[in-house]
């Protein structure tokens, strides 16, 4: 069940990604319409984070290509915001909540320019939206898991992007905070922004998403939520790996095969 | 006449001593490596200095029986400090090591200069302990450090299975009833002793090499800890022999650095040439595959066109002419291709081989579109590569799983014979 | 009691401590503290070769020669870790010991020509610094030569951190995010390594490798325990550098011991104090707060 769309915000063509010659994503090919909140779901190790990182150009691709807003990512970076997994950074870093949110403005400022009054206002606004304005001078290490996630979201808001890629934004977050975050994301969707969210809770998924990408080493489905969220497709996604793909990947790593011919 | 008589008793002793010292250090180093604490030895080595100075100031003796316990005490204390800093503050392992290393050593230097300035008799050469030189090891030193080394080896032998379990997964060790606190203390203690031993051979700065380089080199050859330990010890021992011999022949060159250079060269060779993990071996394997891919692509080309001249092949394969020529030559040698009137054709076995590749290509396309659900117009590129990679075992598996389909997604026949 | 030599020594100590502290902050935050240790040892062959080639022990020869070797060191560490799959800590250990061993062998091969030994690299003695002054043609002494290298270096480092605060801090905190907004993470890594190499070399010619490590790691760690924001942490490094060089010198001259050693010890004492009593998270302070809360709740 792979539904391609007209005028996509994101196009992924025949994407193959390997870690140390071992393919982790295989021939992924889909497109996403604008103005949706899309969930990327699949079991552990199915390549969800890898897909996000490939879209952001953080990994080198073995094959395929990606375009965002019909352009190369480098031309539209300012319109794209990436929220890494919370665990990927050291929260003991000497910075306050506001410092981190201000980082969202750095992409717009360039190397040498200092944040100006407008940037300050944008940051304040982002802090208010995630309800963290009272904690703006709090040190990162003193935040709870949910607050850390809100800081990351505020930083993304301060980027004022049109496409948001979020890696597990609801992990380590209490139910109340998750509700706040979801409402915020819905607000962004209402404004016509596109959100792509790596998620792993099948229970809450129907309440959040209007598009679903199912992944397990390969693309199982990419379609409007109701069409993709079927017992058969979920069984195919979560019912274990394709033995053949795993064996082949293992063999390629051991024998140092490249997934595509060198040209 | 035995070896000792040929090279002289003294030299033999030095040789034997250095092998024992470095090899026993390498055994412990293997555990440090698998515990991902490669640099702890560097910190410990530096932390011995204050212990030595304090022991001397207290007793006024320079005998190893006095200095070694002092050194072990501060060495062990430094590990404790490092663990405490990491556990109770936001400072991470690397910085904690750096803090312990530099502050302990600086304190040692302060004590050393204090001793020098305050008229302790016979204080000279106290820091000789730190700039160890295997060539100047005397019998009493060798005896004491040799005994220590033997004790370390015996302990490792006795607690091998506990150390292995603990190094791999401390939490698991706890669940099967091993006390991880005691194992940690014991293993840390042994590391300190190993550093004290190794430092005799190479000195404080190079200590990290004797502990960790053999383990890192051995790791490229094997996946198993016992083999790794034996290899590490062997690497160390032979480096010691080489280092000591070179130093004896080219007199004046210091033994310790020579041992470390030989050891490092062994490591470099391992990193490059080890059969599985070595860089060059990996590169050569890639080249080997590339040649196979090249040959198989030529086979396919000739299969489709029956007979082709060299020019026609150049036009149809986007590759360097040199590698095409080489591929054709290899195919001729295998008698899969023959040359008639300047045109290349497949032989009977060549055709069979070509059919197998085409079968694999089409089977894989079938697999991708039926099992992986990739659209039929997107499967060709992947199959272009995988046709060369699939092994006979996977081929059999694939045929069985797919049930010998007759046609690929583009309705081309899949040739089984 | 503070004669002009003493002032120069304290001033040099401060220059080294602040340069190392500022750069070390980024090393420590990136969990690369031991790379600093490795570089400070691995530059030895660079110094020896520089000396053999030019026949000069002037800082203008030593600093670039050893600086190049520092960059080489960090590159080898990278290659061993990334390409050969050696654990990151182990690749540090293997690399610096190899280079240091080569340096020591070179020294003994050319023992007649080189006035260097491994002890002097390890210990280094800041006390001899005023013995090598920069003297103008008209006979005016401008103080130790090293000061005239270290001062511009500190200015350069401060200016660099001020101008490139954004990429330096962002690549330390969240490299994935930094990449996503188009910052060249690899490039800034190399810049930092290069800066650390030059600073290390320029510093340890006057104070010895161990003091350099102490300054690179202990000062930033202490500052980190005491501050919640990076700019404050960097500022604290400067303050700590000042306290350490003054107290270190005074303690050393009182006890008549190594000045470098005393300065490093002084940094250690400050670290322990911060570890125990930092108002943010010092162990004693936390225990005290807990206790008073318990009392309060009764």
């Amino acid at each position: 069940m792979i539904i391609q769309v007209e005028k996509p915000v994101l196009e992924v063509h025949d994407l193959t990604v390997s870690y140390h010659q071992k393919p982790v994503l295989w021939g992924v090919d889909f497109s996403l319409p604008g103005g949706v909140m899309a969930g990327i779901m699949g079991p552990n190790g199915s390549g969800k984070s890898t897909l996000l990182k490939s879209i952001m150009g953080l990994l080198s691709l073995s094959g395929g290509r990606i375009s965002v807003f019909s352009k190369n990512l480098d031309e539209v970076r300012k319109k794209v915001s990436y929220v890494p997994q919370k665990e990927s950074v050291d929260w003991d870093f000497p910075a306050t909540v506001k410092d981190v949110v201000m980082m969202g403005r750095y992409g717009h400022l360039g190397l040498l320019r200092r944040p100006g009054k407008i940037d300050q206002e944008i940051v304040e606004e982002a802090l208010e939206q995630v309800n963290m304005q009272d904690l703006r001078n709090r040190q990162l290490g003193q935040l709870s898991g949910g607050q850390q996630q809100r800081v990351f979201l505020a930083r993304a808001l301060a980027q004022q992007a049109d496409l948001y890629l979020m890696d597990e934004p609801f992990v380590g977050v209490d139910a109340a905070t998750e509700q706040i975050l979801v409402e915020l994301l819905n607000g962004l969707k209402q404004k016509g922004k596109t959100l792509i969210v790596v998620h792993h809770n099948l229970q809450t998924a129907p309440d959040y998403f209007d598009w679903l990408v199912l992944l397990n080493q390969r693309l199982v489905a990419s379609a409007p939520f109701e069409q993709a969220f079927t017992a058969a497709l979920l069984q195919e996604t979560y019912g274990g790996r394709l033995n053949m793909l795993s064996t082949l990947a293992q063999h390629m790593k051991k024998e140092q095969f490249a997934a595509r011919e060198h040209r | 006449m035995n070896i000792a008589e040929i090279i002289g008793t003294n030299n033999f002793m030095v040789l034997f001593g250095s092998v024992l010292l470095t090899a026993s250090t390498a055994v412990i180093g293997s555990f440090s490596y698998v515990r991902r604490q490669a640099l702890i030895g560097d910190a410990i080595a530096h932390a011995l200095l204050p212990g030595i100075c304090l022991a001397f100031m207290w007793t006024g003796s320079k005998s190893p029986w006095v200095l070694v316990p002092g050194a072990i005490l501060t060495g062990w204390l430094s590990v404790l400090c490092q663990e405490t800093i990491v556990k109770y503050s936001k400072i991470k392992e690397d910085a904690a090591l750096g803090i312990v290393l530099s502050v302990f050593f600086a304190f040692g230097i302060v004590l050393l200069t204090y001793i020098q300035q305050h008229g302790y008799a016979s204080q000279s050469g106290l820091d000789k302990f730190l700039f160890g030189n295997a060539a100047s090891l005397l019998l009493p030193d060798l005896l004491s450090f040799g005994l220590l080394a033997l004790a370390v080896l015996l302990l490792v032998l006795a607690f091998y299975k506990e150390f292995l379990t603990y190094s791999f997964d401390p939490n698991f060790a706890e669940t099967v009833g091993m006390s991880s606190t005691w194992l940690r203390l014991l293993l840390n203690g042994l590391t300190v002793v190993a550093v004290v031993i190794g430092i005799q051979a190479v000195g404080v700065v190079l200590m990290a090499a004797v502990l960790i380089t053999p383990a890192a080199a051995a790791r490229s050859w094997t996946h198993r800890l016992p083999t790794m330990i034996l290899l590490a010890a062997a690497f160390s021992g032979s480096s010691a022999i080489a280092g000591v011999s070179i130093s004896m022949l080219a007199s004046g060159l210091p033994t310790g650095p020579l041992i470390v250079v030989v050891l490092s060269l062994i490591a470099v060779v391992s990193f490059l040439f080890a059969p599985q993990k070595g860089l060059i071996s990996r590169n050569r394997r890639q080249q080997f595959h590339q040649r196979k891919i090249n040959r198989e692509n030529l086979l396919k080309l000739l299969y489709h066109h029956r007979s082709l001249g060299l020019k026609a092949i150049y036009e149809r394969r986007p590759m360097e002419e040199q590698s095409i020529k080489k591929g054709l030559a290899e195919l001729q040698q295998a008698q899969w291709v023959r040359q008639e009137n300047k045109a290349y054709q497949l032989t009977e076995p060549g055709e069979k081989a070509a059919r197998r590749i085409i079968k694999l290509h089409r089977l894989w396309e079938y697999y991708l579109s039926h099992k992986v659900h990739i659209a039929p117009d997107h499967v060709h590129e992947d199959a272009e590569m995988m046709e060369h990679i699939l092994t006979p075992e996977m081929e059999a598996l694939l045929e069985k799983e797919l049930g010998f389909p007759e046609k690929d997604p583009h309705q081309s026949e899949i040739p089984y014979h | 009691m503070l004669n002009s030599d003493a002032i120069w020594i304290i001033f040099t100590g401060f220059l080294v401590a602040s340069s190392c502290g500022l750069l070390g902050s980024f090393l420590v935050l990136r969990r690369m503290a031991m790379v600093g240790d490795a570089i400070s040892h691995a530059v030895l062959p660079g110094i020896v070769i520089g000396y053999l080639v030019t026949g000069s022990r002037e800082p203008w020869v030593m600093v670039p020669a050893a600086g190049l070797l520092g960059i080489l060191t960090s590159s080898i560490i990278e290659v061993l870790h990334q390409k050969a799959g050696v654990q990151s800590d182990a690749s540090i250990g293997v690399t610096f010991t190899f280079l240091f061993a080569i340096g020591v062998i070179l020294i003994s091969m050319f023992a007649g020509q080189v006035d260097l030994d491994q002890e002097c690299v390890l210990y280094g003695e800041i006390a001899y610094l005023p013995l090598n002054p920069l003297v103008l043609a008209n006979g005016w002494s401008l103080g130790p030569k090293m000061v005239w290298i270290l001062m511009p270096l500190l200015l350069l480092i401060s200016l660099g951190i001020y101008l490139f605060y954004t990429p330096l801090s962002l690549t330390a905190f969240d490299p994935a995010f930094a990449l996503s907004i188009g910052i060249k993470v690899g490039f800034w890594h190399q810049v930092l390594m290069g800066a650390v190499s030059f600073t290390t070399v320029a510093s340890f010619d006057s104070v010895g490798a161990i003091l350099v490590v102490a300054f690179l790691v202990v000062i930033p760690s202490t500052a980190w325990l005491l501050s919640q924001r990076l700019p404050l942490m960097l500022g604290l490094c400067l303050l700590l550098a000042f306290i350490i060089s003054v107290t270190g010198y005074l303690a050393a001259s009182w006890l008549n011991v190594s000045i470098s050693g005393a300065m490093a010890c002084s940094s250690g004492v400050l670290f322990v104090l911060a570890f125990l009593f930092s108002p943010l998270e010092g162990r004693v302070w936390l225990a005290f707060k807990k206790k008073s809360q318990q009392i309060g709740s009764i």
Side-chain angles (χ1 to χ4, degrees), chain B residues 336-383:
Chain B
W336 281 359
V337 163
R338 62 167 181 265
Q339 209 179 356
E340 248 171 53
N341 304 330
K342 295 212 167 174
Y344 291 90
Q345 301 175 352
L346 293 182
T347 62
E348 190 68 27
E351 232 169 89
K352 206 173 156 202
R355 265 201 303 277
R356 175 177 175 261
I357 298 157
I358 288 162
K359 177 183 84 175
L360 285 178
H361 182 104
R362 294 183 180 164
L363 265 181
W364 188 248
E365 289 194 336
Y366 187 92
Y367 178 80
L368 286 181
S369 71
H370 281 78
K371 296 280 170 175
V372 189
H373 303 299
I374 294 178
D377 53 334
H378 287 275
V379 294
H380 176 75
E381 202 189 346
D382 199 50

Side-chain angles (χ1 to χ4, degrees), chain A residues 56 58 77 82 84 89-90 92-96 99-100 103 106-107 111-112 114 139-140 142 152 155 159, chain C residues 29 31 162-167 169-170 172-174 176-177 179-182 188 224 227-230 233:
Chain A
M56 286 316 295
L58 306 182
R77 262 188 207 282
Y82 170 61
V89 304
D90 177 10
D92 287 329
F93 196 88
T96 59
D99 292 335
V100 175
M103 288 173 187
Y106 286 174
L111 263 191
L112 293 176
R114 306 270 131 181
Q139 207 272 330
L140 296 183
Q142 300 161 349
F152 259 21
R155 179 174 75 177
Q159 285 184 277
Chain C
L29 292 176
R31 307 188 179 202
Y162 176 75
L163 284 179
F164 304 114
Y165 181 78
T166 306
S169 59
L170 206 48
F173 173 60
D174 192 347
F177 178 79
L179 266 175
S180 84
I181 62 170
W188 290 104
W224 191 7
S227 53
Q228 303 190 319
R229 299 189 66 199
L230 186 50
M233 176 172 158

Side-chain angles (χ1 to χ4, degrees), chain C residues 212-264:
Chain C
V212 171
V213 178
F215 287 169
L216 272 177
V217 184
V218 186
I219 293 182
S221 300
T222 313
W224 191 7
L225 290 179
L226 294 170
S227 53
Q228 303 190 319
R229 299 189 66 199
L230 186 50
L232 180 63
M233 176 172 158
L234 294 171
L236 270 179
C237 283
L238 297 182
L239 179 66
L240 289 170
F242 178 74
I243 298 177
I244 286 166
S245 43
V246 172
T247 54
Y249 180 83
L250 292 179
S253 53
W254 176 50
L255 293 168
N256 196 10
V257 292
S258 154
I259 301 172
S260 302
M263 286 183 179

Side-chain angles (χ1 to χ4, degrees), chain C:
Chain C
M1 83 184 254
L2 288 178
N3 57 19
S4 76
D5 278 1
I7 304 262
W8 280 124
I9 290 172
I10 292 175
F11 186 52
T12 314
F14 168 74
L15 289 177
V16 175
S18 21
S19 305
C20 290
L22 290 177
L23 284 178
S25 298
F26 293 97
L27 281 185
V28 167
L29 292 176
R30 285 159 170 260
R31 307 188 179 202
M32 294 178 63
M34 290 309 275
V35 178
D37 174 49
I39 289 177
S40 67
H41 288 94
V43 292
L44 180 64
I47 295 181
V48 181
I49 294 171
Y51 180 79
L52 288 174
V53 172
T54 64
S56 147
R57 259 200 83 176
E58 293 296 323
W60 355 103
V61 175
M62 296 294 140
V63 172
L68 284 178
L69 224 89
I71 295 174
L72 180 74
T73 310
S74 74
S75 316
I76 299 179
I77 292 174
E78 284 285 303
V79 169
L80 283 188
H81 180 48
Q82 304 285 347
K83 303 273 178 207
V86 183
Q87 279 176 24
S88 61
D89 270 18
S91 55
I92 295 173
V94 171
T95 310
F96 89 82
T97 50
F98 178 50
L99 292 170
F100 189 81
I102 290 181
V104 176
I105 292 177
L106 281 177
I107 289 178
S108 50
M109 277 171 81
F110 302 96
Q113 302 159 43
V114 192
D115 176 26
L116 269 175
D117 53 30
Q118 59 166 328
E119 277 102 304
C120 101
V121 172
L122 265 186
Y123 296 158
E125 192 36 279
I126 200 169
Y128 302 140
L129 222 97
L131 298 180
N132 189 6
L134 187 68
V135 182
L136 292 185
N138 58 13
W140 286 4
S141 172
L142 293 179
K145 267 182 198 161
M146 277 319 291
V147 168
W148 294 97
I149 293 215
L150 291 168
M151 217 156 40
L153 188 71
L154 177 58
L155 289 178
L156 205 67
I157 289 170
S158 315
L159 189 69
I161 290 177
Y162 176 75
L163 284 179
F164 304 114
Y165 181 78
T166 306
L168 285 173
S169 59
L170 206 48
T171 50
F173 173 60
D174 192 347
F177 178 79
L179 266 175
S180 84
I181 62 170
I183 291 177
K184 305 267 177 289
V185 173
F187 170 78
W188 290 104
H189 173 83
Q190 283 304 333
V191 168
L192 183 64
M193 287 301 107
V196 169
S197 307
F198 284 114
T199 310
T200 305
V201 176
S203 314
F204 93 48
D205 200 41
S206 44
V207 299
I210 289 307
L211 187 51
V212 171
V213 178
F215 287 169
L216 272 177
V217 184
V218 186
I219 293 182
S221 300
T222 313
W224 191 7
L225 290 179
L226 294 170
S227 53
Q228 303 190 319
R229 299 189 66 199
L230 186 50
L232 180 63
M233 176 172 158
L234 294 171
L236 270 179
C237 283
L238 297 182
L239 179 66
L240 289 170
F242 178 74
I243 298 177
I244 286 166
S245 43
V246 172
T247 54
Y249 180 83
L250 292 179
S253 53
W254 176 50
L255 293 168
N256 196 10
V257 292
S258 154
I259 301 172
S260 302
M263 286 183 179
C265 282
S266 156
S267 73
V269 170
L270 289 180
F271 175 81
V272 172
L273 289 178
F275 180 79
L276 295 177
F277 301 109
S278 159
L280 303 176
E281 51 198 295
R283 300 319 299 176
V284 174
W285 189 261
L286 284 186
F288 174 73
K289 264 206 294 207
K290 213 167 167 188
K291 201 151 203 183
S292 56
Q293 269 167 6
Q294 279 167 355
I295 294 170
S297 65
I298 296 168

Side-chain angles (χ1 to χ4, degrees), chain A residues 16-209:
Chain A
T16 298
V17 188
S18 314
Y19 275 123
H20 301 290
Q21 312 282 7
K22 182 177 175 180
V24 284
L25 278 181
W26 218 298
V28 172
D29 191 282
F30 67 94
S31 49
L32 272 190
V36 297
M37 175 133 96
I40 299 184
M41 301 187 74
N44 282 338
S46 57
K48 304 183 296 277
S49 296
T50 305
L51 178 61
L52 279 204
K53 285 182 186 153
S54 317
I55 296 172
M56 286 316 295
L58 306 182
L59 298 172
S60 53
L61 315 181
S62 305
R65 66 193 160 79
I66 288 161
S67 49
V68 184
F69 300 113
S70 309
K71 292 205 173 81
N72 195 327
L73 177 72
D74 278 325
E75 299 169 53
V76 288
R77 262 188 207 282
K78 284 183 192 166
K79 292 167 75 177
V80 187
S81 162
Y82 170 61
V83 182
Q85 278 180 24
K86 188 161 63 73
E87 282 71 29
S88 68
V89 304
D90 177 10
W91 289 91
D92 287 329
F93 196 88
T96 59
V97 168
K98 200 177 154 194
D99 292 335
V100 175
V101 180
M102 187 57 88
M103 288 173 187
R105 302 304 303 155
Y106 286 174
H108 296 259
L109 288 170
L111 263 191
L112 293 176
R113 237 177 62 220
R114 306 270 131 181
K117 211 174 154 215
I118 299 172
D119 299 306
Q120 300 284 358
E121 282 166 15
I122 292 172
V123 166
E124 278 305 319
E125 201 183 318
L127 281 170
E128 262 170 53
Q129 279 180 289
V130 299
N131 204 10
M132 291 279 285
Q133 65 273 41
D134 296 337
L135 299 177
R136 64 166 75 78
N137 292 322
R138 187 66 69 86
Q139 207 272 330
L140 296 183
Q142 300 161 349
L143 301 178
S144 69
Q147 289 167 334
Q148 291 172 349
Q149 202 66 68
R150 280 196 268 168
V151 173
F152 259 21
L153 188 61
R155 179 174 75 177
L157 292 174
Q159 285 184 277
Q160 300 192 318
D162 293 325
L163 172 63
Y164 290 86
L165 305 170
M166 307 187 165
D167 203 344
E168 309 246 21
F170 306 129
V171 163
V173 169
D174 59 276
T177 312
E178 181 161 341
Q179 225 37 60
I180 299 174
L181 295 182
V182 170
E183 271 163 39
L184 253 168
L185 300 187
N186 275 325
L188 287 172
K189 193 178 77 182
Q190 240 82 87
K191 287 189 208 155
K193 318 265 183 189
T194 310
L195 300 108
I196 304 176
V197 180
V198 171
H199 190 61
H200 64 214
N201 187 346
L202 286 169
Q203 253 106 54
T204 50
D207 302 333
Y208 296 171
F209 303 122

